Amino acid sequence: MALTLNTAPFVRSSSIQANRVRNQYALSPVSVSFSRRRLSVIAAETDKNEVKSQAPDKAPASGGSSFNQLLGIKGAALETNKWKIRLQLTKPVTWPPLVWGVVCGAAASGNFHWNFEDVAKSITCMLMSGPFLTGYTQTINDWYDREIDAINEPYRPIPSGAISENEVMAQIWVLLLGGLGLAGLLDVWAGHDFPIVFYLALGGSLLSYIYSAPPLKLKQNGWIGNCALGASYISLPWWAGQALFGTLAPDIVVLTLLYSIAGFGIGIVNDFKSVEGDRALGLQSLPVAFGAETAKWICVGAIDITQLSVAGYLLGAGKPYYALALLALIAPQVFFQFKYFLKDPVKYDVKYQASAQPFLVLGLLITALATSH
């Protein structure tokens, strides 16, 4: 399977590049003295060099980063150690937003105290939300994206054949059941009459499945898929943290769902690097459906307008200092959007997210403290 998946995109890419190189040679006076067969050989050789220079992230280069491999991001080194490969599939770089969501929920509850028991509860909730359930989400997403990854990132563990189907399935079940088990433990620990943390974990896991898996495969539609992604990354961990230490109030549910629109925008950032594979397999991500220029403005609009709306809500609720603090955190995000993302969303996606997202997550905590019940 891996061989079939990897060969097709390579042949397609080589054909496109070879045609480009043939055109270049047709315009070059030096190429006139060569025979047609000789010209084809030179073009094929040039094609190899050109692919390496133009798309280094699509080739499993020996110079890849071991650090990137452990984080599960592009530019990763090839690895044969199965435990490192398993960690790569869970994409640890995606855990912090979920962990931070638990912190925000605990802060918004107004009942978190810096004692051993509350700290232990919060760490357990973070493990449930991050390594277990986010790890499950990322692994199952990689499994159902294996054909797209064979085009966009053929060096990833599943399309490259570095890990077997049975090993991937085992990892999915261990992470899912482990996360649900921790959720049930937290409900017992908190003395809940109704196992709200368990049901939040179960609902989030179901959402993760239908996001990635057919027949629904929500990610096929850029609007629905990114809304589901935003809710998963912002609302669900916040709700879990708040329900663990206090009461999940209706106004918080509405406010966090509004904040999830910013998560919708963040989800679009990740769609730009997958345009080629999404288009080939018929997935209507926003960059595919609307083009890169329109999609990048939808992206920044969702992120900025959402936070401005929340700042307005805090101002209207009689909390002007929190509103001003949130506005102060929006300003550097806008700066980095113009400096990196709006210039080239593919080239600068990592730089943009590393620069701007810390201010967004700090804004989440400001909002949580402002709405503390």
Side-chain angles (χ1 to χ4, degrees):
M1 180 184 294
L3 179 60
T4 304
L5 293 174
N6 284 324
T7 303
F10 175 76
V11 171
R12 189 184 303 112
S13 175
S14 296
S15 299
I16 294 170
Q17 296 289 348
N19 288 334
R20 184 184 299 141
V21 175
R22 288 189 185 101
N23 291 335
Q24 291 172 351
Y25 270 84
L27 297 173
S28 172
V30 177
S31 63
V32 174
S33 60
F34 291 98
S35 69
R36 185 179 184 86
R37 179 177 298 179
R38 179 57 178 165
L39 178 60
S40 299
V41 172
I42 294 175
E45 291 171 353
T46 309
D47 174 44
K48 292 178 182 178
N49 294 330
E50 191 170 329
V51 169
K52 287 180 181 178
S53 63
Q54 289 189 356
D57 291 329
K58 292 190 178 184
S62 58
S65 168
S66 297
F67 183 68
N68 287 12
Q69 188 272 330
L70 292 176
L71 290 180
I73 59 179
K74 66 182 182 181
L78 292 178
E79 185 56 67
T80 57
N81 183 292
K82 280 296 169 65
W83 289 108
K84 289 184 178 180
I85 291 172
R86 290 185 182 281
L87 182 64
Q88 181 181 0
L89 284 175
T90 66
K91 293 185 183 176
V93 73
T94 63
W95 300 351
L98 283 295
V99 171
W100 191 255
V102 173
V103 172
C104 292
S109 73
N111 292 321
F112 176 83
H113 302 94
W114 287 100
N115 56 47
F116 177 80
E117 184 177 11
D118 282 4
V119 170
K121 282 181 185 177
S122 62
I123 290 174
T124 304
C125 194
M126 291 173 189
L127 287 171
M128 174 199 75
S129 300
F132 278 91
L133 294 183
T134 306
Y136 152 78
T137 298
Q138 295 297 340
T139 305
I140 200 169
N141 185 65
D142 263 26
W143 172 252
Y144 285 107
D145 271 4
R146 59 194 183 276
E147 294 181 0
I148 296 176
D149 286 343
I151 299 171
N152 294 321
E153 300 176 274
Y155 56 81
R156 287 197 61 78
I158 295 175
S160 69
I163 188 168
S164 70
E165 176 180 349
N166 289 337
E167 289 169 327
V168 174
M169 291 298 113
Q171 175 161 321
I172 289 170
W173 280 107
V174 167
L175 293 173
L176 173 61
L177 296 178
L180 294 177
L182 288 177
L185 172 65
L186 287 169
D187 280 315
V188 173
W189 198 347
H192 290 158
D193 295 327
F194 178 80
I196 184 169
V197 178
F198 175 81
Y199 279 108
L200 285 172
L202 185 63
S205 302
L206 177 61
L207 185 62
S208 297
Y209 178 79
I210 64 174
Y211 173 81
S212 299
L216 295 179
K217 202 175 179 71
L218 300 181
K219 67 183 297 180
Q220 290 182 114
N221 182 289
W223 295 104
I224 298 174
N226 284 323
C227 283
L229 192 66
S232 298
Y233 271 74
I234 292 179
S235 298
L236 285 172
W238 182 316
W239 295 349
Q242 185 155 355
L244 180 61
F245 292 102
T247 303
L248 188 56
D251 61 325
I252 289 295
V253 172
V254 173
L255 186 62
T256 50
L257 285 174
L258 175 61
Y259 237 123
S260 295
I261 299 174
F264 161 83
I266 294 170
I268 300 173
V269 175
N270 297 317
D271 289 337
F272 284 92
K273 68 178 183 292
S274 304
V275 168
E276 183 183 346
D278 290 349
R279 185 179 289 118
L281 296 177
L283 270 66
Q284 289 298 303
S285 65
L286 295 191
V288 171
F290 294 97
E293 283 299 311
T294 301
K296 69 184 183 183
W297 285 104
I298 295 174
C299 173
V300 299
I303 294 171
D304 298 343
I305 293 172
T306 295
Q307 294 177 91
L308 290 170
S309 300
V310 173
Y313 166 82
L314 295 178
L315 185 63
K319 300 183 179 180
Y321 295 112
Y322 288 104
L324 287 173
L326 186 55
L327 287 173
L329 291 169
I330 296 171
Q333 296 177 59
V334 175
F335 171 76
F336 288 119
Q337 285 165 2
F338 279 94
K339 183 177 181 180
Y340 293 127
F341 184 73
L342 292 173
K343 282 186 178 179
D344 191 330
V346 177
K347 181 178 180 181
Y348 294 119
D349 65 330
V350 175
K351 279 188 176 181
Y352 164 67
Q353 294 193 72
S355 302
Q357 284 195 22
F359 297 99
L360 185 144
V361 298
L362 283 174
L364 281 169
L365 183 58
I366 292 294
T367 305
L369 294 171
T371 58
S372 176
H373 285 67

